[in-house]
Amino acid sequence: MDRTFAMLIDGAAVAGAGNFPVINPATGRPFAHCPHADRALLDRAVAAGVAAFPRWAATPVDDRAALVARLADALATRADEFAALLTAEQGKPLAQAGHEVAGAVETLRAFAAMRPESRVLRDDGRARIVEHRTPLGVVAAIVPWNYPLLLLMNKIGPGLVAGNCIVAKPAPTTPLTALLFGEICRELLPPGVVNIICDRNDLGDALTGHSDIAMLSFTGSTATGRKVMAAGAQAIRRVSLELGGNDAAIVLDDADPVVAARRIFAGAMMNAGQVCVAIKRAYVPETMMEPFCDELVRLAQAHVVDNGARQGAQMGPLQNAAQYEKVKALLAETAEQGRVLAGGAAIDRPGYFIAPTIVRDLPDDARLVREEQFGPVLPVLSYSDIDEAVARADAGVYGLGGSVWGHDVDRAAQVAMRMGSGTVWINQHAALDAAIPFRGARQSGMGGDLGQDGLHEYTQAHIVNIALGRGV
Ligand code: NAD
């Protein structure tokens, strides 16, 4: 690929302080170069947001939303180009890259249809008190590498409709689709409203600590989220964190084990397991273990793992070398602690490929059970008592998503009510929708981007309290 990419600062395409190679994870080799910012360019991007903010905030919300809808239309028009670039930088199969682009379009459209809502808190003849929702200023939007385009739109959509300006920073291993989106912003938005800068994983602190940033909107690991929150604490900046997860799926004893296994396999292996809400553990009744695991093994062995650009690939590589090494180390430990039924190792070829892996009989304190694997590796854990299963599923620091699988959905919903994660799905998993709030519990985050609540996250509650009948 020989095209050049530029950052977006103050409405201009900016070449950057230098370039770094972007690796195609299916080959392990560079396929493009990406410009990166330095501190001076970062300052310019923030200053552009600060300068653009008063006019953008004063633009009628319907006009702002109309521009967000135009961003969506422009993205939809270039969907194939975005999907091909996404597969090249992220690794996911082309069809799944197409779904991510379509999801990004839908997200922008969903926010274009939402409005910050004012509410009358009191109107009793003596006082009229109204809560308005006003924008905050310049939002730093920091995203990870698993869904680089969609997760960015989760921030740009609500951020712009709410009236904020944005300085976005993609992850250094997947910066290119964000820069391509910058081309669309450059055509459609006033200068400075959206700025997109790249780094070599070295400008996060400078951005989150910048005195002119009003809000830190971060999606990524819990470890980095902790640093972002600490940076926010210095100036009491608004902080929204969407962090890691270790989602459990609980299969009930009235489920069909084969049907449940199929859907749970899909929920665990999507994007090669690199999803904050991938199924990362399955709790299955002891009596159901054999048919459930047999079906998982059949699916794992039949799953086509290949370069995502090739027709027929169902799963691509892990996105980067560091994640690949992390999952390989987990697999080495796992082989000693549990029974590996399928996969269990890297695939011997260039790139960062791991075989779809099914493991059973791990102890609850195994790292693969306690930590977020972020790879195509599913531990299956047996249980004999549902109370015990709920307690084990809820153990640990994360509380992002979870799911319950059973024939009787009312009974499944009762189990869901006892689980502590922010979202619990029944007979499905990871069914995210831009119009529905999505918020992590415990160390999976605070705040969040989606739904009307997500839009309000990008605003300040502004109360106007009028004394009536007491004119001066
Ligand atoms: P990461 O935390 O390493 O990086 C995320 C982003 O933060 C990158 O852009 C990175 O450059 C930047 N960053 C690095 N150091 C920083 C610092 N000191 N200050 C500010 N920013 C900094 O995460 P990752 O490994 O890229 O992504 C995987 C993680 O993201 C997983 O834990 C996954 O569960 C989580 N995630 C969560 C959600 C959600 O909605 N809850 C969605 C997707 C991914």
Side-chain angles (χ1 to χ4, degrees):
M1 201 173 285
D2 52 8
R3 58 167 304 169
T4 13
F5 294 88
M7 300 187 293
L8 175 64
I9 299 178
D10 203 13
V14 173
N19 286 289
F20 62 93
V22 181
I23 309 281
N24 180 333
T27 62
R29 291 207 304 270
F31 75 100
H33 281 80
C34 178
H36 65 81
D38 56 11
R39 181 65 211 232
L41 286 170
L42 184 153
D43 286 344
R44 259 175 62 191
V46 177
V50 169
F53 175 65
R55 181 173 282 191
W56 181 246
T59 301
V61 63
D62 287 348
D63 295 355
R64 293 197 304 256
L67 280 170
V68 171
R70 287 186 63 196
L71 293 176
D73 292 345
L75 180 55
T77 308
R78 294 172 67 176
D80 290 346
E81 185 190 355
F82 273 85
L85 185 61
L86 189 53
T87 291
E89 72 172 353
Q90 204 283 332
K92 65 189 66 182
L94 200 51
Q96 291 165 36
H99 289 145
E100 179 172 344
V101 177
V105 170
E106 286 313 309
T107 297
L108 291 175
R109 288 188 176 143
F111 281 109
M114 288 186 219
R115 297 289 177 273
E117 286 169 358
S118 299
R119 14 177 222 156
V120 177
L121 301 175
R122 186 176 300 158
D123 193 3
D124 61 3
R126 292 195 304 156
R128 183 158 63 242
I129 307 176
V130 183
E131 180 190 71
H132 301 273
R133 291 276 167 183
T134 53
L136 296 164
V138 181
V139 175
I142 302 175
V143 292
W145 41 257
N146 57 343
Y147 287 87
L149 187 65
L150 177 62
L151 295 173
L152 187 58
M153 297 311 120
N154 285 358
K155 301 187 185 307
I156 286 182
L160 293 187
V161 171
N164 302 288
C165 294
I166 310 268
V167 175
K169 195 201 79 59
T173 55
T174 53
L176 301 179
T177 42
L179 295 183
L180 201 57
F181 187 74
E183 292 180 6
I184 292 176
C185 295
R186 186 150 53 92
E187 280 167 26
L188 296 177
L189 296 176
V193 169
V194 170
N195 305 276
I196 302 178
I197 57 169
C198 300
D199 72 343
R200 293 165 294 174
N201 228 18
D202 56 348
L203 290 177
D205 290 334
L207 184 56
T208 56
H210 198 292
S211 57
D212 289 336
I213 294 285
M215 175 182 177
L216 309 176
S217 177
F218 174 80
T219 301
S221 64
T222 295
T224 310
R226 206 166 274 129
K227 292 185 197 162
V228 172
M229 197 167 169
Q234 293 306 315
I236 319 289
R237 266 182 265 286
R238 300 293 177 272
V239 177
S240 172
L241 303 172
E242 298 211 344
L243 307 178
N246 191 14
D247 288 14
I250 300 181
V251 180
L252 300 181
D253 56 11
D254 66 345
D256 178 325
V258 172
V259 176
R262 284 180 193 155
R263 294 203 212 146
I264 288 172
F265 181 83
M269 299 296 162
M270 58 183 168
N271 208 29
Q274 303 163 114
V275 191
C276 54
V277 285
I279 295 174
K280 295 178 180 137
R281 302 169 284 159
Y283 292 88
V284 176
E286 183 62 59
T287 51
M288 226 180 245
M289 281 295 274
E290 298 307 322
F292 185 84
C293 288
D294 287 351
E295 182 63 9
L296 287 181
V297 169
R298 191 187 69 74
L299 293 165
Q301 288 170 348
H303 213 47
V304 181
V305 184
D306 201 352
N307 184 329
R310 290 221 185 95
Q311 192 126 32
Q314 292 174 305
M315 194 175 96
L318 295 195
Q319 198 282 316
N320 58 70
Q323 188 61 27
Y324 177 64
E325 294 304 328
K326 183 185 144 189
V327 173
K328 280 201 299 184
L330 261 180
L331 286 176
E333 273 178 47
T334 297
E336 289 170 12
Q337 293 178 301
R339 188 142 58 102
V340 177
L341 303 178
I347 300 175
D348 185 18
R349 59 180 284 178
Y352 311 134
F353 292 91
I354 299 276
T357 298
I358 308 297
V359 191
R360 60 174 289 180
D361 303 340
L362 280 171
D364 278 359
D365 62 357
R367 276 211 305 140
L368 184 59
V369 178
R370 283 187 296 114
E371 294 183 11
E372 180 181 41
Q373 62 271 47
F374 232 57
V377 184
L378 180 66
V380 185
L381 304 147
S382 72
Y383 74 86
S384 52
D385 171 73
I386 185 62
D387 294 340
E388 164 221 327
V390 170
R392 288 164 66 199
D394 258 350
V397 298
Y398 295 114
L400 197 57
S403 52
V404 185
W405 303 77
H407 184 72
D408 178 346
V409 291
D410 293 330
R411 179 170 167 243
Q414 283 168 14
V415 176
M417 283 304 294
R418 295 165 53 197
M419 292 173 72
S421 53
T423 300
V424 187
W425 292 280
I426 292 173
N427 293 338
Q428 58 181 353
H429 200 101
L432 293 172
D433 178 329
I436 306 298
F438 174 65
R439 334 206 92 188
R442 301 197 290 267
Q443 291 187 25
S444 287
M446 49 186 280
D449 294 327
L450 302 185
Q452 186 71 30
D453 292 1
L455 177 58
H456 282 177
E457 199 73 32
Y458 289 82
T459 65
Q460 171 66 41
H462 184 74
I463 313 275
V464 177
N465 186 334
I466 309 170
L468 298 174
R470 297 176 60 193
V472 290

